[in-house]
Amino acid sequence: MTLSTATDEVLVLAAMAGALPMFHTEDLDNLRRGVHYRVLVPVEARNRRETARRLDMFASHGAEIRTVPSVPMTAMVVDGTLALLPGDRCGELTEFREPGVVRVVVELFERLWRPTGPPGSGSGPTQRELDLLTLLMNGYTDESAAARLGISERTVRRMVSELMHRLSARSRFQAGAKAADRGWLIELAG
């Protein structure tokens, strides 16, 4: 079994924003065949234009991408039976099929994927993002939300873009729906 023979799911941990271990022809072929991809990258990935472009392209093909404050290692898990971990040489990934090794990598991935804690931890919204979401939910434009928050309109657009990226949303409407699904808007609705 290799990446090109994946049938169900590929989990990706990318420790450094500039070193994404994916986005090859076989990954896109897998997505076309219905293989589910979940990808974790550090928050800094959003600040690198080329990396953000690659993430957006991958998300547009159906991959779920989340950012977290930091990713401790680069690794991949294919169909829950094969772990690809850093090898001896830089950029090299070594195959591991031992169930215990695979299970540890999957558990690490799942802990990072499902952040816990108050707003501002993990990939949930910060208080400032919640304030922005409240204003947008109440019909404020980017310009009026910026004035209300005391920040620039450009900062509002960047924050919205980051939220959309974190939620793997293609539109503001979809971002709102996904934020609601994650429970981010529950406190704001009242």
Side-chain angles (χ1 to χ4, degrees), residues 20-34:
L20 298 173
M22 66 179 132
F23 309 138
H24 302 291
T25 303
E26 57 194 1
D27 295 298
L28 295 176
D29 289 343
N30 284 342
L31 284 164
R32 284 186 204 103
R33 289 187 298 107

Side-chain angles (χ1 to χ4, degrees), residues 1 28 32 48 56 65 87 134 137 144 150 153 155 165 176:
M1 173 187 292
L28 295 176
R32 284 186 204 103
R48 295 182 183 210
D56 289 342
I65 299 171
T134 301
M137 193 171 76
S144 59
E153 188 175 346
T155 299
H165 181 74

Side-chain angles (χ1 to χ4, degrees), residues 38-53:
R38 291 192 291 156
V39 182
L40 281 166
V41 295
V43 171
E44 72 185 62
R46 291 191 310 257
N47 300 326
R48 295 182 183 210
R49 179 172 283 140
E50 180 59 23
T51 302
R53 186 191 66 73

Side-chain angles (χ1 to χ4, degrees), residues 148-165:
R148 187 76 181 251
L149 293 171
I151 57 178
S152 72
E153 188 175 346
R154 182 176 175 207
T155 299
V156 166
R157 286 193 302 268
R158 181 186 51 80
M159 289 172 66
V160 169
S161 175
E162 288 173 1
L163 285 166
M164 288 175 61
H165 181 74

Side-chain angles (χ1 to χ4, degrees), residues 82-146:
L82 170 67
L84 300 166
L85 301 171
D88 293 334
R89 287 182 264 160
C90 185
E92 174 186 76
L93 293 175
T94 303
E95 293 185 10
F96 291 88
R97 298 176 191 279
E98 283 294 317
V101 173
V102 174
R103 191 171 33 254
V104 167
V105 178
V106 169
E107 185 173 321
L108 171 64
F109 181 92
E110 293 297 347
R111 286 182 186 215
L112 291 169
W113 187 259
R114 287 188 308 269
T116 58
S121 66
S123 65
T126 64
Q127 186 58 52
R128 176 160 244 161
E129 289 168 331
L130 283 173
D131 294 341
L132 174 60
L133 286 170
T134 301
L135 294 172
L136 296 176
M137 193 171 76
N138 288 313
Y140 282 71
T141 64
D142 288 358
E143 183 180 3
S144 59

